[in-house]
Amino acid sequence: MSGRVALTFDDGPDPVWTPRVMDALADAGARATFFVVAPLAGRYPGLLRRMVGEGHEVAFHCNRHARHDRMTAAEIQADAREGLEILDTLGHRVHDWRAPWGVVTGDTARVAEGLGLRLVGWTADSEDWRGGPVDEMVGGLAQVMEAGAVVLMHDAVGPGALRDGCGRTVDLVAPLVSMARSRDLTPVPLGGMPGRLPVRNPGNVAGV
Ligand SMILES: [Zn+2]
């Protein structure tokens, strides 16, 4: 049975790792979605232009990388507004929002609705932030790679990560795309995903 899956990358853009992730996606002929940290986007606007130019989607991660369950509704609202304003100034209208660590509260949902953003979590966690071997990440993802899967990866070293670079995420792209294709699954940006998507971290607890 054919289907679609989404490859997603959080915490960038990063001047070293984001271009290498995009190179790997280009080599694999796959398109993805990048949930960006707005101030980093403001610092590296060329990386967002390249994302769009290569058919990827830019989506919103955060302005400040903080847990929503430790923020007031007003703080969540202010963070999203400030972040969206930065992206808007750069010429990017975003539709999807992944909260930091995928931690979503009732306030997050209300702010998202007010701003016209769709909250998107994931179904398949690469746990790439641990810095483990590529074959273990592929093996773990193989258990949950099915139509509608949303795969979480990181194109930057975010808060709490146990690794000092994203080389293994770069190396994960090719085998992950071939594993998906061997199951007749096509990687598409989130805008091309049919049906309902998860809105949060499956456990709604902080990993990284
Ligand atoms: Zn993050």
Side-chain angles (χ1 to χ4, degrees), residues 6-95:
L7 309 185
T8 68
F9 297 88
D10 289 10
D11 292 349
D14 178 276
V16 172
W17 301 110
T18 305
R20 293 186 56 187
V21 166
M22 286 194 277
D23 289 347
L25 288 166
D27 288 346
R31 295 184 298 141
T33 301
F34 290 86
F35 287 93
V36 300
V37 177
L40 296 176
R43 203 176 306 163
Y44 307 109
L47 292 174
L48 274 73
R49 285 195 295 273
R50 180 176 165 191
M51 288 170 191
V52 173
E54 297 186 359
H56 306 302
E57 281 177 10
V58 174
F60 178 54
H61 194 32
C62 57
N63 193 49
R64 194 167 57 90
H65 202 285
R67 289 177 59 120
H68 285 188
D69 58 357
R70 294 178 188 160
M71 294 164 75
T72 65
E75 286 169 338
I76 295 169
Q77 168 97 358
D79 189 86
R81 278 190 183 285
E82 285 163 28
L84 291 183
E85 194 175 306
I86 292 171
L87 298 180
D88 201 49
T89 303
L90 297 173
H92 300 282
R93 268 196 79 109
V94 298
H95 305 286

Side-chain angles (χ1 to χ4, degrees), residues 140-167:
L141 292 169
Q143 312 289 320
V144 286
M145 187 60 80
E146 57 189 12
V150 178
V151 183
L152 171 66
M153 291 169 279
H154 299 82
D155 60 321
V157 178
L162 302 179
R163 59 182 183 170
D164 53 15
C166 304

Side-chain angles (χ1 to χ4, degrees), residues 121-146:
W122 60 86
T123 66
D125 190 350
S126 66
E127 301 198 19
D128 58 348
W129 56 274
R130 293 182 188 279
V134 170
D135 57 349
E136 281 181 19
M137 289 193 280
V138 174
L141 292 169
Q143 312 289 320
V144 286
M145 187 60 80
E146 57 189 12

